[in-house]
Amino acid sequence: MDFNLLKRIVKTPGIPGFEQQIRSLVSSEAAPFGDSVSTDTMGNLIIKKGAGKKRVMAAAHMDEIGLMTTYVDEQGFIRFHTLGGFDPRTLFAQRVTVLGKKNLPGVLGGKPAHVLTDEEKKRAPNIDDLFIDVGLPASKVKELVPVGTPVVRDRSCIRMGDLVTAKSLDNRLSVYCLIEILKKVTVPDDISFFAVFTVQEEVGLRGVRVSAETIRPDAGLAMDITIANDIPGVSAQKKITELGKGPAVKIMDGSVISSPSFVQYIEDTANQHDISLQREILTSGGTDTPAMQYLTGIGAHVSCLSIPTRYVHSTVESAHGSDIDDTITLGTHLISQANTFLQDSDVVKATDN
Ligand SMILES: [Zn+2]
């Protein structure tokens, strides 16, 4: 694993709608391995490799959940709005970086346990109870932090035993994997491969719809993390996936039912290359996958290659090193052999008539 690259990808900020910094890092790392690079007006980064007639798209969202400032009070404390799904328990007592006119370190404060009322002790904090303290007088904060300033959580990426742990492994792990796939893949003659780093996934799969509409893929592979609930207190049937048992192929989630033939192709390819693969079923939640299928009316064969991750949407998201490596290996084979899948495909596109 190129752990240094992963660390840089995790560290670079990119809340939904403000992906400029992460996009420029990904572009500089990945562009040399594609034939052409473009960014659409939405902010999706599209790297094309190969010039065949059949179109295969892989989509990894590069935005991360984050905060946006809404108000600075007379003491200089900052209030904020959340972008993406947050459990308030994961925000209390965290460090953040406020990306104002200059970068300011901050903390998400709250009352210490000593002064909580009995009522307050019983419940988790609400987002509205929380605020950001940057340790500066109100006049200075108001000058440096205009309303609408992006705020990212501050937690570096480290190795922990066999795992890596950080904030925003959702979805920077897949961003890293897709860059590595671009480096390694040999695209078959009859395929055009589009590696797309999408924006605004965490606020409702917004960016991918635009890129899917432009590319109109025959097959679409989303790349994202999924829940590994292999922790104490969870019964066996609720684990969803487990760490260290390979990437997962999405059968369905709350937003999509994957194409059975594409799932079969992914399973066959994993088998062929001796890569262990789990089957993922989530009954809620969603990823970029449906945009390439029904959200834009394209009807591509779709599924998602998911990296099992514990403590999703917290600052201590954790994933297994071998699952990350296997995602790169399997993803590379899936694109390198995509012609075999699309030859058998019975989908006729209007443009092929
Ligand atoms: Zn995600």
Side-chain angles (χ1 to χ4, degrees), residues 85 111 115 137 139 146 163 165-166 179 185 195 209 280 283 299 305 308:
K111 288 186 199 171
V115 296
S139 57
L163 313 185
T165 181
I179 294 172
V185 72
R209 296 179 208 221
E280 172 208 350
T283 52
L305 198 54

Side-chain angles (χ1 to χ4, degrees), residues 67-68 75-76 95 119 130 133 163 204 228 230 341:
L67 315 174
M68 180 180 278
Q75 289 174 279
R95 283 188 186 165
E119 173 65 19
L130 300 171
D133 185 348
L163 313 185
D230 56 341
F341 171 70

Side-chain angles (χ1 to χ4, degrees), residues 60-65 169-172 174 201-202 205 223-226 286-288 312-313 317:
H61 73 84
M62 58 183 167
D63 58 315
E64 61 179 328
I65 57 172
L169 291 185
D170 176 7
N171 187 31
R172 301 305 176 71
S174 305
E201 190 269 356
E202 295 288 1
L205 328 180
M223 297 181 64
D224 211 324
I225 58 93
T226 190
T287 62
D288 278 343
V312 168
H313 281 198
E317 290 178 334

Side-chain angles (χ1 to χ4, degrees), residues 91-112:
L91 278 175
F92 180 66
Q94 298 292 334
R95 283 188 186 165
V96 294
T97 305
V98 178
L99 304 167
K101 289 182 182 160
K102 63 182 197 187
N103 287 357
L104 302 171
V107 295
L108 280 147
K111 288 186 199 171

Side-chain angles (χ1 to χ4, degrees), residues 206-276:
R206 294 180 188 173
V208 65
R209 296 179 208 221
V210 174
S211 53
E213 191 73 63
T214 311
I215 293 165
R216 304 198 70 78
D218 298 287
L221 181 72
M223 297 181 64
D224 211 324
I225 58 93
T226 190
I227 290 167
N229 233 346
D230 56 341
I231 55 173
V234 178
S235 55
Q237 72 269 29
K238 299 218 162 132
K239 286 191 166 81
I240 305 172
T241 61
E242 295 175 67
L243 297 200
K245 299 204 166 170
V249 56
K250 187 183 293 292
I251 310 298
M252 63 158 283
D253 64 23
S255 71
V256 76
I257 297 169
S258 296
S259 322
S261 59
F262 198 44
V263 170
Q264 186 67 53
Y265 168 66
I266 294 170
E267 292 193 311
D268 290 347
T269 307
N271 259 330
Q272 196 187 335
H273 297 280
D274 260 331
I275 299 165
S276 49

